[in-house]
Amino acid sequence: MVDKDELASSFFPLSDDYRAQDFPFYWVARLNAKYSADVDTLLKPHGLSSSKWRVLMILHEQGRLSMSDIAIHAVAKLSTITKIVYKMQEAGLLKTAPSPQDGRVTEVELTEGGEAKLAVARELTAQVVEKAFRGLRKDEVVYINQCLSKMFRNLNAL
């Protein structure tokens, strides 16, 4: 059995030692907000946002997906993704079609215009990523990802 003191007990809000700055979720939330704001600033002149950028990247990596699957990968509500997808479709970046397996499901994929817009967005967002990872070694990034992934699995455990 693992001793509670060996665990991250000082991170628990009920602990007398708890300080928000020592809580990983505090930094995750601040990091995500800052990253999104910086990306939004760079992408806005190109008709994109951090949310649209995520949709483009998800579809580029995953290929054709349902709106629900995009919402899962983007960590967004389905209604939000639906609005974003239809706006992006109007702009010629995406196309939608009923799923061949289930006509009730709408599937989404990138258009050539979407791929072109993604290329521009990748160049711009690379600046933010380079700035964010300045001074970090590859093994440190791998370790951060491992820790965050473990925490995510913990939260999804029954």
Side-chain angles (χ1 to χ4, degrees), residues 17-150:
D17 298 330
Y18 175 79
R19 291 176 351 128
Q21 299 90 321
D22 296 333
F23 194 52
F25 289 117
Y26 170 83
W27 292 109
V28 168
R30 291 194 67 194
L31 177 63
N32 185 58
K34 177 63 174 154
Y35 171 78
S36 295
D38 288 359
V39 166
D40 282 336
T41 299
L42 285 173
L43 295 180
K44 187 175 183 174
H46 301 275
L48 292 175
S49 64
S50 56
S51 298
K52 291 177 180 177
W53 151 248
R54 272 195 301 279
V55 170
L56 290 172
M57 280 301 297
I58 290 164
L59 291 170
H60 176 76
E61 290 177 6
Q62 303 288 324
R64 185 180 176 115
L65 287 176
S66 71
M67 297 249 201
S68 297
D69 287 338
I70 295 169
I72 290 167
H73 287 289
V75 191
K77 293 180 181 178
L78 179 57
S79 60
T80 302
I81 291 301
T82 301
K83 290 175 196 170
I84 291 169
V85 163
Y86 285 124
K87 285 181 184 176
M88 292 176 76
Q89 183 179 24
E90 288 174 18
L93 304 176
L94 306 175
K95 58 184 174 182
T96 63
S99 167
Q101 291 80 26
D102 184 347
R104 299 170 296 174
V105 174
T106 300
E107 293 184 336
V108 186
E109 61 186 316
L110 289 175
T111 62
E112 286 183 25
E115 287 286 355
K117 190 67 86 167
L118 176 60
V120 170
R122 287 176 87 152
E123 282 190 37
L124 292 169
T125 58
Q127 299 169 28
V128 177
V129 173
E130 185 178 315
K131 183 178 177 183
F133 287 95
R134 192 174 297 139
L136 290 171
R137 295 184 320 270
K138 184 177 181 177
D139 66 311
E140 290 176 307
V141 176
V142 168
Y143 182 68
I144 290 167
N145 283 336
Q146 289 171 339
C147 291
L148 293 172
S149 175
K150 185 175 186 177

